[in-house]
Amino acid sequence: MVNILITGGNRGLGKALALRLAKSGYQVYITAINLQQANEQSLGIRNESQNQNVYGFQLDTSDNDSINQLFKEFQARKISLDVLVNNAGRRILNFKSYIRKQMASSSNQCREGLLGELLWSHKHYQNIKTFTYKISKGRIIILLKILVISSSLGLLSYQPKELQNILNKPHSEEELNQFVYQTQEQYKNKGNISPFSSDTIYSIYSSSKTLINAYVRFILSQNVEPQQTVYAIDPGWCKTDMGGQNAPCSAEDGTIASFHVIHDLPFDKNEKHGKALNQQGQITDY
């Protein structure tokens, strides 16, 4: 039986994917910051899918101690993982309202509030790497497929020309890390919200997704173990807490590409390894 870990699997796209996979007979582990929520949602998925192999765990992906504790639990239970879905992100209810609230505050407060989105991309990558390397070197936990949930807003075609020029060529991990910190200082020191764009609504959020894609494209895809593959998934604009109710797609629609990678692609290097995939699971330009 294929074992799948979905971070942030208690709501939205993560929950929809967990339910779809459970209905298809997979063994699924979902995480939430709150253990009670993880247990309640895993119970609901078990009942709806009629698959008893769905389990909830507590995990805060921003806390290294929490990550280590999860691995200890998995090793104690001799759980061997086949797929990791990096879905947990910086959760902001009603993103547009959040942005407007930030814009209504002072410019310094606005910059500091939105800056978290940029810094999250670096922290998110570090956690993905921690997951990947810990699992790779473990005796019990062996991971073969790594899915990173990104966004179409992170595609370079949506970015200002200056940012495209910077991130459209290979970078080392050290270079990308340095770029994140340099950009942080630019955000802090510049009067505008973004050093790359005057679009204060999505510029920082979009840039953060572009950086996550760059980490997948240039670092993770080149450094995973020989038997591992990694994919950057654009689930589309879906009706979730983050996407809002005006989104054109359902949460179930947002699971198509992830399900395709897990269910259809082989457990070895293939043409889609290291690529950005659109909502239908097709390769798209970064």
Side-chain angles (χ1 to χ4, degrees):
M1 181 178 290
V2 175
N3 296 329
I4 301 167
L5 171 63
I6 304 175
T7 64
N10 63 312
R11 62 173 66 248
L13 292 173
K15 181 180 177 181
L17 180 59
L19 178 59
R20 182 170 184 172
L21 292 167
K23 287 181 176 180
S24 297
Y26 290 97
Q27 185 152 297
V28 181
Y29 305 91
I30 66 171
T31 72
I33 291 180
N34 183 288
L35 180 59
Q36 181 178 347
Q37 289 182 0
N39 287 334
E40 288 175 354
Q41 295 303 321
S42 62
L43 175 61
I45 293 170
R46 285 199 297 272
N47 291 338
E48 186 171 350
S49 67
Q50 296 299 298
N51 179 349
Q52 296 307 301
N53 296 307
V54 181
Y55 307 93
F57 289 86
Q58 190 278 332
L59 175 66
D60 180 352
T61 58
S62 66
D63 184 345
N64 288 334
D65 289 338
S66 180
I67 294 173
N68 290 332
Q69 181 58 38
L70 179 66
F71 283 114
K72 288 179 182 178
E73 290 188 52
F74 277 21
Q75 289 174 335
R77 301 186 189 196
K78 294 181 167 53
I79 296 173
S80 177
L81 287 177
D82 302 296
V83 178
L84 169 64
V85 181
N86 289 280
N87 172 71
R90 192 166 184 266
R91 179 169 171 261
I92 301 174
L93 287 173
N94 197 333
F95 185 64
K96 288 185 177 180
S97 293
Y98 167 77
I99 295 292
R100 293 192 186 101
K101 182 178 179 180
Q102 291 290 340
M103 293 297 293
S105 62
S106 72
S107 59
N108 284 338
Q109 288 176 312
C110 184
R111 281 198 296 275
E112 290 300 322
L114 296 179
L115 185 59
E117 289 300 330
L118 176 68
L119 298 180
W120 176 256
S121 66
H122 174 66
K123 181 65 176 176
H124 187 53
Y125 160 69
Q126 294 298 333
N127 289 330
I128 294 169
K129 187 172 71 172
T130 300
F131 270 107
T132 304
Y133 292 168
K134 277 181 176 290
I135 290 173
S136 299
K137 298 180 185 307
R139 295 293 182 184
I140 301 298
I141 305 173
I142 301 173
L143 183 71
L144 298 178
K145 292 181 183 178
I146 303 145
L147 286 69
V148 180
I149 305 303
S150 183
S151 168
S152 61
L153 289 175
L155 297 178
L156 284 174
S157 59
Y158 284 89
Q159 306 309 312
K161 201 67 177 178
E162 182 182 353
L163 192 56
Q164 289 184 33
N165 292 336
I166 293 171
L167 295 180
N168 203 24
K169 58 184 179 180
H171 290 278
S172 67
E173 180 177 346
E174 182 179 354
E175 288 171 338
L176 281 177
N177 291 345
Q178 186 63 31
F179 174 72
V180 170
Y181 292 120
Q182 287 176 346
T183 306
Q184 174 190 3
E185 291 306 309
Q186 287 179 291
Y187 275 105
K188 287 182 175 179
N189 298 328
K190 192 175 175 67
N192 292 331
I193 295 301
S194 169
F196 303 109
S197 171
S198 60
D199 181 356
T200 56
I201 297 297
Y202 288 113
S203 61
I204 294 182
Y205 175 79
S206 179
S207 296
S208 73
K209 293 299 185 183
T210 303
L211 284 164
I212 289 175
N213 286 348
Y215 279 121
V216 172
R217 181 184 185 187
F218 298 128
I219 311 302
L220 278 178
S221 65
Q222 304 300 316
N223 291 284
V224 293
E225 299 294 316
Q227 77 278 15
Q228 293 176 329
T229 53
V230 61
Y231 311 86
I233 307 291
D234 167 23
W237 182 17
C238 303
K239 289 183 175 67
T240 62
D241 287 344
M242 185 70 170
Q245 292 307 302
N246 292 326
C249 302
S250 67
E252 290 71 25
D253 293 333
T255 70
I256 294 172
S258 295
F259 186 81
H260 162 65
V261 169
I262 295 168
H263 190 75
D264 300 326
L265 295 187
F267 277 94
D268 53 30
K269 294 292 192 297
N270 59 80
E271 64 176 4
K272 294 184 177 180
H273 164 65
K275 304 297 186 183
L277 305 183
N278 64 19
Q279 188 183 52
Q280 301 304 317
Q282 301 165 328
I283 296 174
T284 187
D285 289 337
Y286 272 106

